[in-house]
Amino acid sequence: MTKPDIPKRLAARIRAAQTRLEDCCNSVSGSDFNHRQAADELAEYDANPEAYARKNYGNHGIDSYPVTTRISRLREKVAYHSTRGDVRKQRIADAVAELEMVEAEVLAEVSGMRPTSGRVPWPKTIPAAEQLLRDHRKELDDLAERVRLEHEARKIAQAEEDRIEEERDRIRREKGDAEHQAWLATQSPEYRREWNRRIQMIVDGIRSGRVGLHNIGEFIENEVNGRS
């Protein structure tokens, strides 16, 4: 059916109803997307809690506060979304019914009007609700995939930077060790024995647990160098 040209105010009423339907579909598809994301993450955790914790929280175990809090919130989110399906379907049905009612009212009103100037074309028909949902879901899925790929690319780049820096550190350590050994070789046997004795004291202290980052400076100053 060819729709007639209509006054601008009536075209605005139709466009407003169309926008409400589009917004409703976007909201529902967004909620569905969040539900799927939460359910997928929860399934990953349930399949292997230890692997999930290592991947997402590093040194935090499965019983740590960050992990338990995240999983608790995910379970709450999944449980909530699982009860909202009928409500969301009804919201879409109501928005579709409103648009149909507005279009019918506008058509009835225009039919009883005398032709006037300044009319505009009937607003372009928007896709059906099902298509709006599919389109927005695809947009969200595509965005999530782009974010995932960017995240993976950053991880790969960071891993390569870390590898390069570790290699530089290794070279610096080896160079420093070589220079130190060359210098130590110029010292007297007594000096070398005393040096090795002090190094062994530090190693033994660390192995025994008496020495750590919190007191190694004091240990060297007082016990290794004997200045207490």
Side-chain angles (χ1 to χ4, degrees):
M1 175 182 176
T2 302
K3 301 292 181 62
D5 292 347
I6 55 178
K8 291 181 180 179
R9 63 179 179 82
L10 297 182
R13 281 187 60 193
I14 295 174
R15 284 195 295 270
Q18 290 175 334
T19 299
R20 285 192 289 272
L21 174 58
E22 290 171 330
D23 290 346
C24 181
C25 289
N26 288 348
S27 175
V28 168
S29 60
S31 296
D32 289 345
F33 177 81
N34 290 335
H35 184 190
R36 287 187 288 120
Q37 291 282 91
D40 289 346
E41 185 176 345
L42 190 57
E44 179 186 359
Y45 170 84
D46 288 336
N48 193 330
E50 290 79 10
Y52 171 90
R54 284 195 303 271
K55 172 186 173 183
N56 297 285
Y57 293 93
N59 295 327
H60 293 285
I62 60 175
D63 295 325
S64 65
Y65 178 79
V67 176
T68 56
T69 300
R70 175 63 176 173
I71 296 306
S72 176
R73 290 174 179 170
L74 285 173
R75 294 197 190 282
E76 291 175 358
K77 182 181 290 187
V78 170
Y80 170 77
H81 283 300
S82 297
T83 66
R84 303 296 292 173
D86 290 341
V87 174
R88 290 167 182 161
K89 288 179 182 177
Q90 188 59 50
R91 286 173 53 198
I92 293 175
D94 291 344
V96 170
E98 180 194 9
L99 175 57
E100 292 174 348
M101 181 185 68
V102 168
E103 289 183 330
E105 290 176 349
V106 167
L107 190 58
E109 185 173 346
V110 170
S111 298
M113 288 181 176
R114 290 180 300 176
T116 57
S117 60
R119 293 190 177 190
V120 296
W122 189 281
K124 183 180 178 181
T125 301
I126 63 174
E130 293 78 7
Q131 186 62 48
L132 290 173
L133 287 169
R134 285 194 295 269
D135 290 346
H136 194 242
R137 283 170 182 158
K138 186 176 185 306
E139 289 178 11
L140 293 174
D141 287 340
D142 289 347
L143 175 60
E145 180 63 10
R146 287 198 299 273
V147 171
R148 186 189 69 79
L149 292 175
E150 290 171 2
H151 177 68
E152 289 298 320
R154 285 196 298 270
K155 283 178 59 179
I156 293 172
Q158 185 61 55
E160 179 62 13
E161 289 181 11
D162 292 344
R163 186 195 65 78
I164 293 173
E165 188 58 33
E166 288 175 1
E167 180 65 12
R168 288 172 177 165
D169 286 342
R170 183 188 65 78
I171 293 173
R172 284 193 291 264
R173 287 194 303 270
E174 290 181 353
K175 180 180 179 182
D177 289 345
E179 291 174 349
H180 175 73
Q181 291 300 322
W183 169 80
L184 195 60
T186 66
Q187 307 302 309
S188 68
E190 294 79 9
Y191 185 92
R192 292 198 295 273
R193 282 195 296 272
E194 176 62 16
W195 179 271
N196 290 331
R197 184 188 69 81
R198 295 186 180 191
I199 294 298
Q200 190 61 48
M201 286 181 65
I202 297 173
V203 172
D204 291 343
I206 293 173
R207 287 175 176 171
S208 68
R210 293 175 54 223
V211 180
L213 291 176
H214 66 290
N215 69 341
I216 190 170
E218 180 182 358
F219 177 80
I220 293 173
E221 183 72 14
N222 296 334
E223 298 194 36
V224 176
N225 296 334
R227 296 178 181 175
S228 58

